């Protein structure tokens, strides 16, 4: 199975370009992609107002607050097969002078195929010349190479069986949300964590906190999946990484993935605008040797119930 991922590493700029310059380039690329994918649902902005904020920032001569990053998803159809691949894109402010954040996913790919596809996609993007727009190149690479990943699980499995020891990166993500209430969202979180073999918890109510741990690629897939298409008040506050471990299980702090519902206080009206008891949450973190994250999540030092 061959994949086109090689190339010559281009020289990088020694000094970063002004933010105005990179944002102007990003706008031009988004407009180009919108013309390439004009169909309903083909290209979807995570925040529909993100592009307008960037335009206002540029029109004001950069005197307003720095806009949030542009994030979008492009649905790619594979001509040879009835397969769709969704490419999620996040543009750092200094892109194209730094690499974009990309993640491709498809129902036609199993976890092993999807992991290999994304690793090779990142390798390809890293060969692209910095300073040049490369999202359309990444799209073309997926369309040219996806055939090598679909329906080829057996060779990959045989390769792993020949390896005497598989070493993977253990990852733990601490995700903060303004609130987590909706039943369908809570079910999606629980089902996705179970599907990906992740452990951790989901603290429901206000604030909402999610912790996931497991193989790095699976954690990243979870993060990309729950963020799209429009969960706006959510951010990854902290990550913990242990590279090249021989046993993912030995690194876990949490043995299952569970939903946490602590005693709450506040208004139990129609908006269910109530706060979780953070004292109980701190005790839970201490039981799992994770109390150091309390300050990272909330910006205050944790105090136990006396």
């Amino acid at each position: 199975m061959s994949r086109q991922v090689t190339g010559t590493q281009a020289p990088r700029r020694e000094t970063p370009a002004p933010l105005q310059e990179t944002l102007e380039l990003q706008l031009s690329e988004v407009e180009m992609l919108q013309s390439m994918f004009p169909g309903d649902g083909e290209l979807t902005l995570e925040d529909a107002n993100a592009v307008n904020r960037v335009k206002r920032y540029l029109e004001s001569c950069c005197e307003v607050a720095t806009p949030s990053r542009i994030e979008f998803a492009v649905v790619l159809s594979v001509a040879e097969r009835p397969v769709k691949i969704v490419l999620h894109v996040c543009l750092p402010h200094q892109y194209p002078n730094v690499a974009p954040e990309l993640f491709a996913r498809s129902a036609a790919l199993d976890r092993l195929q999807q992991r290999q596809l994304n690793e090779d996609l990142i390798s390809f993007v890293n060969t692209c010349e910095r300073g040049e727009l490369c999202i359309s190149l990444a799209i073309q690479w997926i369309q040219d190479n996806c055939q090598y990943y679909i329906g080829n699980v057996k060779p990959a499995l045989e390769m792993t069986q020949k390896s005497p020891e598989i070493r993977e990166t253990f990852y733990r993500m601490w995700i903060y949300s303004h609130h987590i209430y909706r039943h369908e969202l809570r079910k999606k979180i629980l089902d996705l964590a179970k599907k990906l073999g992740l452990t951790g918890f989901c603290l429901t109510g206000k604030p909402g906190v999610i912790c996931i741990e497991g193989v790095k690629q699976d954690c990243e897939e979870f993060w990309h999946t729950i963020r799209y298409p429009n969960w706006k008040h959510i951010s990854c506050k902290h990550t913990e990484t242990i590279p090249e471990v021989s046993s993912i299980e030995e690194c876990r702090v949490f043995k299952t993935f569970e939903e946490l519902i602590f005693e709450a206080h506040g208004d139990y009206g129609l908006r269910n605008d109530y706060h979780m008891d953070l004292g109980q949450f701190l005790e839970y973190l201490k039981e799992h040797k994770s109390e150091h994250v309390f300050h990272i999540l909330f910006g205050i030092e944790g105090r136990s119930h006396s």
Side-chain angles (χ1 to χ4, degrees):
M1 181 174 69
S2 61
R3 309 183 190 93
Q4 302 170 16
V5 296
T6 58
T8 303
Q9 181 66 46
R12 300 176 183 272
R13 298 186 180 185
E14 294 182 359
T15 57
L19 182 57
Q20 181 176 2
E21 176 185 333
T22 57
L23 291 181
E24 287 175 347
L25 288 171
Q26 290 180 25
L27 282 182
S28 68
E29 183 166 41
V30 170
E31 290 173 357
M32 178 187 68
L33 291 171
Q34 286 175 327
S35 67
M36 292 171 57
F37 300 94
D40 185 25
E42 282 191 297
L43 189 151
T44 306
L45 290 164
E46 181 186 0
D47 182 350
N49 294 317
V51 169
N52 289 332
R53 292 194 195 98
V54 172
K55 290 179 178 178
R56 286 197 296 270
Y57 177 80
L58 296 174
E59 290 169 356
S60 69
C61 298
C62 311
E63 292 181 355
V64 299
T66 302
S68 56
R69 303 192 300 180
I70 297 176
E71 301 184 46
F72 57 90
V74 183
V75 179
L76 307 176
S77 298
V78 181
E80 296 81 1
R81 303 169 183 240
V83 170
K84 293 187 182 298
I85 294 180
V86 182
L87 176 65
H88 298 288
V89 181
C90 177
L91 302 180
H93 284 145
Q94 285 300 322
Y95 169 80
N97 297 320
V98 300
E101 298 174 12
L102 305 176
F103 187 84
R105 51 193 303 269
S106 173
L109 300 171
D110 65 17
R111 289 170 57 191
L112 183 60
Q113 293 167 322
Q114 186 163 281
R115 180 181 304 174
Q116 190 64 61
L117 171 63
N118 280 289
E119 288 177 356
D120 291 350
L121 173 62
I122 292 171
S123 295
F124 168 76
V125 169
N126 286 337
T127 69
C128 296
E129 184 175 354
R130 296 285 79 90
E132 299 294 331
L133 301 172
C134 67
I135 304 302
S136 60
L137 296 177
I139 289 172
Q140 187 63 53
W141 183 90
I142 292 173
Q143 292 174 327
D144 291 343
N145 291 275
C146 64
Q147 59 182 315
Y148 301 123
Y149 303 87
I150 299 172
N152 284 308
V153 184
K154 186 175 180 180
L157 286 175
E158 289 175 350
M159 289 174 61
T160 60
Q161 289 170 357
K162 294 176 182 178
S163 174
E165 183 178 31
I166 301 173
R167 304 187 72 85
E168 297 184 283
T169 298
F170 176 83
Y171 208 51
R172 185 179 296 115
M173 300 182 71
W174 297 90
I175 300 166
Y176 178 89
S177 175
H178 180 264
H179 61 267
I180 301 176
Y181 293 133
R182 291 187 295 114
H183 173 74
E184 59 270 27
L185 175 59
R186 291 156 54 188
K187 184 177 186 303
K188 178 181 179 180
I189 291 169
L190 290 168
D191 291 347
L192 184 60
K194 181 179 180 180
K195 174 185 175 183
L196 296 173
L198 303 175
T199 53
F201 64 84
C202 173
L203 174 65
T204 62
K206 179 179 180 182
V209 177
I210 304 170
C211 174
I212 52 171
E213 58 178 13
V215 177
K216 186 174 188 291
Q217 188 79 13
D218 296 334
C219 291
E220 290 175 340
E221 180 177 349
F222 178 95
W223 174 232
H224 280 275
T225 301
I226 64 167
R227 289 177 68 192
Y228 289 94
N230 55 6
W231 192 345
K232 303 187 189 320
H233 303 293
I234 185 173
S235 61
C236 180
K237 290 281 191 176
H238 183 58
T239 61
E240 300 169 44
T241 305
I242 306 177
E244 296 188 1
V245 299
S246 57
S247 173
I248 293 292
E249 298 306 314
E250 291 180 2
C251 298
R252 296 184 191 271
V253 171
F254 304 92
K255 301 308 177 185
T256 63
F257 189 90
E258 60 182 330
E259 182 177 60
L260 303 181
I261 303 177
F262 294 129
E263 294 177 6
H265 55 86
D267 180 9
Y268 286 85
L270 294 177
R271 294 182 62 249
N272 290 328
D273 193 16
Y274 55 88
H275 292 258
M276 289 294 101
D277 188 325
L278 295 184
Q280 293 184 51
F281 181 50
L282 176 60
E283 291 299 326
Y284 176 84
L285 292 178
K286 286 185 175 182
E287 291 174 5
H288 294 85
K289 300 180 174 59
S290 300
E291 61 268 28
H292 62 284
V293 183
F294 192 90
H295 177 73
I296 296 172
L297 291 171
F298 306 114
I300 57 176
E301 297 297 332
R303 295 183 179 180
S304 304
H305 291 299
S306 56

